[in-house]
Amino acid sequence: MIGDTLLIALYAAIGAAVAGLAGTAALRLLRNRSVALSLAVVAAVTVAAMLAGTILVSWAMLLSEHDLWVVTMVCAMAAVASLAVSLLLGRSVVRGSRALAEATRALGDDGRFTPPATAPTAELAELSRQLAATSAKLAASREREKALESSRRELVAWISHDLRTPLAGLRAMTEALEDGMVDEPRVYHTRIRTEVERMSDMVSDLFELSRIQAGVLALTPTRLSAYDLVGDALAGADALAREHGVRLVGDAVEKVPVEVDGREMSRVLANLLVNAIRRTPADGTVAVSARREADRVVLAVTDGCGGIPPEDLPRVFDTGWRGTDARTPPAGAGLGLAIVRGIVEAHQGRAAVCNVPGGCRFEVHLPAAP
């Protein structure tokens, strides 16, 4: 009995192997054809393997022709059903694949991807979701690129304007000095030095911003107290505040530790203070605070500028952005706040701005030192 069972299994395996080899060869020949045809081949191989094994077993066991005919008819009906189901499935997969291909082609043409309403298989559905996510990322990237290109154009235009005016003044003053048309050369020398220093600061800001945008800003974090950082920044901005008649206040400063690059963070606070002092009218107040919130340290500079238009708030930290009233050279080239954001993000923090009664508040959120 066991011998007969092994013999039957052997003959069935031989028939299945022959059918499998034939199916593999057919699939290799049809590898560049439709998936529907490949599914039909798979269904045909399954039935052929069963039929071949049955015929071999029938021949070996000397079954009657009637029994062999019955088994053959059963296999034939199974083949018809298998082929019908495989063709239906294949057509469904082909339709889904073509719809996905059309949607992908649209992604390449106009950058928009509209996923098909339905997907015949989980794999095509997952591919459709991944393409939709990629389309969203590409759209966001294009928007960022447009915004960056717009800010670059504005930056070039503003810097060209800001350089043209002092250069024209420098040329006029030097020509006047050369022609001996100046009664007090010392006054012209002072003006020339002032303009040169302002242009030097502008070039320094451009260099700093280029390092930030190139990702080569080298940081040397050390453990510092926010109280010391704010104190140094207030001391450095005191002369400018006195010149503009602005009062500096730093009462709400907690002694919280932070791990930052002292030089770069001092530049952040200096830029924020200079911006606040220049925007605050005489007899106004600029307040600086430092506090800990959970795992963050928040440094804030509040001015009395009267507020920023809500539509301009998202652009405040853009490269080259300046308010509509900041078209004159003393307002700078619109790089200070862009540098602030770049340095803060290099410290794994974020910069934010919001309007408050009478002015606006710039906040720097930094990871708190452990």
Side-chain angles (χ1 to χ4, degrees):
M1 185 66 179
I2 297 178
D4 292 340
T5 302
L6 292 176
L7 186 61
I8 292 172
L10 176 62
Y11 280 113
I14 293 174
V18 172
L21 290 174
T24 302
L27 288 175
R28 287 183 61 84
L29 292 175
L30 301 174
R31 60 181 178 273
N32 293 326
R33 304 296 295 274
S34 172
V35 67
L37 189 57
S38 298
L39 288 174
V41 170
V42 171
V45 168
T46 303
V47 176
M50 182 175 62
L51 183 59
T54 301
I55 292 175
L56 286 177
V57 170
S58 300
W59 173 77
M61 302 299 293
L62 300 176
L63 295 179
S64 64
E65 293 183 0
H66 178 270
D67 293 341
L68 181 60
W69 181 84
V70 170
V71 172
T72 304
M73 286 299 297
V74 172
C75 292
M77 293 301 102
V80 172
S82 299
L83 288 173
V85 172
S86 63
L87 288 175
L88 288 176
L89 176 60
R91 291 185 61 184
S92 175
V93 172
V94 168
R95 281 198 303 269
S97 178
R98 288 176 178 172
L100 190 58
E102 289 296 328
T104 306
R105 188 176 299 110
L107 173 63
D109 293 339
D110 57 12
R112 298 178 181 177
F113 178 79
T114 304
T118 58
T121 64
E123 290 78 9
L124 289 179
E126 177 62 22
L127 178 58
S128 179
R129 286 191 293 269
Q130 292 297 329
L131 286 173
T134 301
S135 175
K137 292 179 181 178
L138 289 174
S141 177
R142 285 192 296 271
E143 290 300 323
R144 288 194 299 270
E145 184 178 355
K146 289 180 181 178
L148 181 60
E149 183 61 28
S150 176
S151 66
R152 284 175 178 171
R153 287 197 297 268
E154 292 177 354
L155 175 62
V156 170
W158 287 337
I159 287 181
S160 299
H161 172 269
D162 288 353
L163 287 177
R164 186 183 299 113
T165 301
L167 286 175
L170 289 173
R171 178 183 298 171
M173 286 186 285
T174 54
E175 289 177 352
L177 289 171
E178 289 177 353
D179 296 339
M181 304 294 294
V182 181
D183 296 332
E184 298 183 13
R186 183 183 298 275
V187 176
Y188 275 46
H189 291 157
T190 301
R191 292 179 182 176
I192 290 174
R193 173 173 298 201
T194 300
E195 293 298 330
V196 170
E197 288 178 352
R198 193 177 67 81
M199 288 190 291
S200 177
D201 291 341
M202 187 183 302
V203 173
S204 177
D205 286 346
L206 282 171
F207 178 71
E208 181 77 4
L209 186 62
S210 67
R211 288 201 303 155
I212 292 172
Q213 293 182 342
V216 296
L217 181 64
L219 298 177
T220 307
T222 56
R223 188 181 180 89
L224 300 171
S225 171
Y227 185 86
D228 294 335
L229 279 174
V230 172
D232 293 342
L234 290 174
D238 183 68
L240 181 64
R242 291 178 181 274
E243 179 183 345
H244 286 74
V246 175
R247 179 169 172 260
L248 294 179
V249 176
D251 297 335
V253 180
E254 299 178 6
K255 295 182 179 180
V256 291
V258 289
E259 286 191 2
V260 296
D261 186 304
R263 177 176 175 273
E264 297 297 340
M265 197 52 56
S266 295
R267 180 162 193 164
V268 166
L269 291 174
N271 284 359
L272 291 178
L273 283 171
V274 169
N275 182 72
I277 292 170
R278 286 176 173 171
R279 300 293 179 168
T280 301
D283 297 329
T285 299
V286 172
V288 184
S289 64
R291 66 187 185 278
R292 179 161 186 162
E293 294 182 355
D295 60 343
R296 314 288 286 180
V297 172
V298 181
L299 307 177
V301 176
T302 305
D303 59 34
C305 67
I308 299 173
E311 63 273 13
D312 287 342
L313 283 175
R315 299 194 57 205
V316 167
F317 293 99
D318 288 353
T319 301
W321 182 86
R322 294 185 296 185
T324 54
D325 60 342
R327 302 290 178 159
T328 56
L335 304 180
L337 294 179
I339 291 174
V340 165
R341 181 176 63 177
I343 294 176
V344 171
E345 290 180 351
H347 284 84
Q348 307 304 314
R350 66 181 181 89
V353 61
C354 63
N355 284 324
V356 297
C360 59
R361 181 170 63 244
F362 288 85
E363 293 183 347
V364 172
H365 296 249
L366 297 170

